[in-house]
Structures are given as C-alpha cells and as structure tokens.
Amino acid sequence: MRKSSVLVLALIATPKTFAMNLQEYLKLVESKHKTVQALNIQSEAADDRNEASDINLVPVLTAGASYLSDKSPLGQFATLGVTESKTTSYNLGLSKRFSSGTNVSVFGQTAEIQNEGIGNPQFLQYGKFGIGNLGVSLSQSLWKDSFGHATRLRWERQEAATTAEKGGYDLQKRGLLVQAEAAYWNYIYSQDNVKTARGALERAKKIETWTRRRVNDGISDRADLLQGQALVANRNLLLIAAEDELETAKQAIRDNLELKVSDPIPDIQGDLGQKRSLNSLIEGPKGRVVLIEAYLASLEAKARSVVAKEVEDAYRPDLVLSGQYNTNAVEADMPTATANIADLDRPTAKIALNLVYIFDTDVKSAAKNAARKEALAARLQSERKLLDSDSSWSELNRHYQEMTKRVEAAEQIYKLQTDRAKAQNNLFNMGRSITMNVVDAEQDAATAELALSRLKSEQRKMEATARLYMTVEE
C-alpha cells in the first residue's frame, strides 16, 4: 500500500490524534470525494478511447470452414450432368492496415469438390478434385491518404481532443478542490471566531461583575450595570451566531470528506495568517500564466484546425495502387492440393490503379468552407479567452496585493483597539473611566479582531483560486 494511502487511513481512523494540515485535508478529499474519483476515472477512459481509436490498425485474423451440397440444375457443374455437387472448404487469412495507409493481407484456402452423376468420360477428372490457393494482396493510396497522411492528421486531432477532454476533467477537479479549500478556511475562521466570541464574553462578564460590585458599593449607577449586562447579552448573542456558523462549516467539511453526521471531524488546523505566493499554487513549466479554461479553448481550436485539414483531405481525388498474387494448386484431392499449395507453377497476378474523383460542386465547397470557418471561429474564441485570461490573472494579482494592504491595515486597527480596550479596563479598575467607555472599547476590539480574521480567511481563499491557472510555454 502506498504511503499516501496509509496516511489517509490513519487520518480517518484517528481524526482526533493527528493535526491535519491543508495538504493532508486536500489529499483526503481527493481520496474520499466520489465526484473527484469519477473525474479521475473519466480521465483514464479518455486515454483508453484515444488508444482504442487505432483499432483499424490492429491485425485481423479470419478463419472459416464450410460445407456445401448443391443439387441445383443451375449449379456451376450442372452442364456436365452433375446431379449433386459437394464442396468442403477451409480458409485462413491475416490482414493489417499500417499507419502509412498500406493495406496488406495474406490468405490461404483449400477445398475438396465431389461431383456425382458425370456421364461424359472427358469430364470424369472433375468427379473429385482438390484446390488450394495461397496469396498476398496490398493496396496503397497515392493521393487522398498519401502514405498515411490521413492517419497522421487523425492522430494530431485526437491528441488535441484527448488533452482537452482530460483538461476539462482536471478543471472540474480543481474547481472542487478550490471549493474544498474554501470550506477548510471557513472552518478555521469559524473556530477562531468562536474562540474570539468566547473570550469577548468572558471579558464582558468580568466587566459586569466589576460594575455590579461598584453599584453595590454605591460607587456606580445602575445604568452602568445595565450597560455591562447589555454587553454580556450582546456577546452571548455573538457567540451563538459564531457557534451556528461553526456547525455550518463543519457540515461543509463533512460533505467534502463524505462523512456521516455521526462521524467525528478530523482535527483540522491551519494558520490564517500564513500567506502563500499565487505562483506557488500554479502547476506547469515556466511560461505564460493562463486560465485552464483558456488553455482548453486553444486545444479545441487546434483540434478544429486539424478537422478542417481532414475534411480537405477527405475530398481529394483518390488514386489507389493495388496488387495481388496467389498460387493455384489443383490436385486429385484436398490433402494433395494442400501439400502443394505453395507451388508457383500456375500463379495468378494482378496489378491495378484506380482513380476516384469527386467533382468540385457547391456541395463540396460548402463542406470545406464550413470546416474552415469553424476552425477560424474556434481560433478567434481561443485568442479572446487568452486575452481575458491575461486580464484575469493581472486582476487577481492586483486584488491580492490590495487584500494584503487591507490585512495589514486591519492588523494595525486590531492592535490599536486591543491596546485601547486594555487601557480603558485599567482606567475603569482605577475608577477613572465610565462603563460606557469600557463597553465601547471592548466592542471595537472584538469587531476589529473579527474583521481581521475574516480578511485573512478571504485572502487564503483568494490564493486557492490560483489553482484554476496553469503555465504554458510561449
């Protein structure tokens, strides 16, 4: 069993023992998500179909045996007075088409014929005799499929089509993984949000307790206590909302890992503050960064251009050179004819040159023009998608840089609001601040912390969208 499989099984079996990072989580999604599994199988099937397209180049073996009893008055030996003709025959053949467009076949056959009722002594030799033939034939297109031109075009088209098909499955798979990663960061954020809400609630309870004691001592007004109680109620409401959001995030993790409600969730851990370069998530050699969708469009355009060439080739005149050579053994019976089947005493040889020409009519021109126009349209669409891809990549990088600035600003705001809340608490404990100032400072600090976590989560999900890009050589 491979190491990755062992890791997956370990993570499933003991989800609370090992902390699962993003890469381990995505590997687990790939191994558990049935749609991802189906896409992998479909990709393998595309390779199989591509290989199976050469079925016409596979050697073909034919073999047969037959018995014929002919009492027809119109039979080939009926004019000799034959009342019944019996024929037993066996044949074996092997044919092969090569990528050069050459068709070659080798064949052999043997038969024994018995004719009953021959009255003319001159034809008694045909009462029973055996025949045997051993031959070879070949044909080669000299124009339409000149030495495998059509086969090479088909290979080129199928290669582009297969790559595009597999790329489509890969794009769907990447899209699922991007969604799975978004669920991962939502879960991490939701966990942090619950921790933040609980911490804020604890601080609010301390403020309420301190205010209650000051009211009982006659130092503060009841209005201050009500403010503290309102802060606790507000923080409790935020905690309920955060816990509900966490349950939703848990369900998304279960859906991606295809876990039951009763199954425990793995111990997923991650750092929302750990930035990743967009280029680090892009696969492929160094070169131009493009959307996978745009790359697939270029492959489709390439396949369309080859189709246009195939249509052009299909309507060419066909000049076929063919030849055949076979032996003819005629003996007293089948065993003797079979034994002498390779004798070259009485051969049959044939050579032929055949021309097939389709006249240049509007129908023929329309078929060619349609293929050319489809190829042109596909090329123009591909070029447009490549332009859109460049713009999309540029905008993604720009938004990412802007998001980085927003995160840095949010970190500064969070630090200032946290320091302010601590300062207000210290002043409040010394009796130099009112409850409202403390409550406002706590609210602002909690809001700043929540906003920072959300921005970091959005930045991590923005990084994940880079998986929808790839690099291609210029």
Side-chain angles (χ1 to χ4, degrees), residues 150-221:
T151 302
R152 292 190 295 274
L153 285 177
R154 177 174 61 82
W155 282 347
E156 185 179 355
R157 170 179 53 81
Q158 288 176 336
E159 182 65 27
T162 300
T163 304
E165 183 180 1
K166 293 177 63 178
Y169 297 139
D170 182 59
L171 178 59
Q172 294 180 57
K173 177 181 173 181
R174 288 172 185 246
L176 290 173
L177 292 180
V178 169
Q179 294 177 9
E181 183 171 344
Y184 173 91
W185 292 119
N186 283 335
Y187 179 70
I188 300 297
Y189 164 76
S190 298
Q191 286 181 315
D192 289 351
N193 192 19
V194 169
K195 292 178 183 178
T196 301
R198 285 175 179 169
L201 178 60
E202 291 300 320
R203 292 193 298 272
K205 288 181 178 179
K206 289 181 181 179
I207 293 174
E208 181 194 14
T209 301
W210 178 255
T211 306
R212 186 183 299 276
R213 186 163 58 246
R214 289 170 63 89
V215 170
N216 292 335
D217 293 340
I219 301 176
S220 297
D221 296 332

Side-chain angles (χ1 to χ4, degrees), residues 446-458:
T447 301
E449 184 176 9
L450 181 60
L452 176 59
S453 296
R454 185 175 293 279
L455 283 175
K456 287 181 177 179
S457 174
E458 292 302 318

Side-chain angles (χ1 to χ4, degrees), residues 42-71:
Q42 286 178 302
S43 182
E44 294 174 0
D47 284 329
D48 292 336
R49 282 193 297 272
N50 187 31
E51 186 174 355
S53 64
D54 280 336
I55 189 66
N56 61 332
L57 301 180
V58 175
V60 177
L61 176 69
T62 58
S66 66
Y67 173 78
L68 172 67
S69 175
D70 187 7
K71 297 181 180 181

Side-chain angles (χ1 to χ4, degrees), residues 115-335:
N115 294 314
E116 298 180 0
I118 296 180
N120 192 333
Q122 295 181 353
F123 300 107
L124 289 178
Q125 58 179 327
Y126 297 111
K128 177 182 178 182
F129 63 95
I131 59 175
N133 303 106
L134 182 63
V136 59
S137 66
L138 61 86
S139 65
Q140 173 67 59
S141 175
L142 303 177
W143 199 339
K144 182 176 180 179
D145 183 17
S146 57
F147 299 98
H149 179 68
T151 302
R152 292 190 295 274
L153 285 177
R154 177 174 61 82
W155 282 347
E156 185 179 355
R157 170 179 53 81
Q158 288 176 336
E159 182 65 27
T162 300
T163 304
E165 183 180 1
K166 293 177 63 178
Y169 297 139
D170 182 59
L171 178 59
Q172 294 180 57
K173 177 181 173 181
R174 288 172 185 246
L176 290 173
L177 292 180
V178 169
Q179 294 177 9
E181 183 171 344
Y184 173 91
W185 292 119
N186 283 335
Y187 179 70
I188 300 297
Y189 164 76
S190 298
Q191 286 181 315
D192 289 351
N193 192 19
V194 169
K195 292 178 183 178
T196 301
R198 285 175 179 169
L201 178 60
E202 291 300 320
R203 292 193 298 272
K205 288 181 178 179
K206 289 181 181 179
I207 293 174
E208 181 194 14
T209 301
W210 178 255
T211 306
R212 186 183 299 276
R213 186 163 58 246
R214 289 170 63 89
V215 170
N216 292 335
D217 293 340
I219 301 176
S220 297
D221 296 332
R222 179 174 174 76
D224 294 332
L225 177 59
L226 292 175
Q227 282 186 328
Q229 291 175 335
L231 178 62
V232 171
N234 182 54
R235 294 294 168 80
N236 188 54
L237 178 61
L238 292 177
L239 176 60
I240 293 173
E243 289 176 338
D244 178 66
E245 189 174 346
L246 177 59
E247 289 302 317
T248 301
K250 285 182 179 180
Q251 186 57 48
I253 294 294
R254 288 193 181 95
D255 291 341
N256 282 292
L257 297 178
E258 299 200 358
L259 299 175
K260 298 179 181 178
V261 177
S262 58
D263 294 334
I265 293 181
D267 183 17
I268 295 176
Q269 296 183 9
D271 183 6
L272 285 173
Q274 185 176 0
K275 291 177 57 178
R276 297 169 295 174
S277 168
L278 295 177
N279 287 296
S280 67
L281 298 175
I282 298 177
E283 298 178 2
K286 292 183 179 180
R288 181 180 181 182
V289 178
V290 299
L291 276 167
I292 297 178
E293 183 180 357
Y295 173 67
L296 297 181
S298 68
L299 291 176
E300 175 65 21
K302 180 180 179 180
R304 288 287 184 181
S305 67
V306 178
V307 168
K309 294 178 183 178
E310 286 184 302
V311 172
E312 184 79 24
D313 190 68
Y315 287 106
R316 286 181 181 178
D318 196 8
L319 186 63
V320 180
L321 175 64
S322 62
Q324 180 176 328
Y325 180 92
N326 62 269
T327 63
N328 298 286
V330 181
E331 304 294 343
D333 51 31
M334 182 190 296

Side-chain angles (χ1 to χ4, degrees), residues 461-472:
K461 288 187 282 187
M462 184 182 294
E463 292 165 352
T465 60
R467 299 181 188 276
L468 302 178
Y469 292 80
M470 65 180 295
T471 56
V472 296

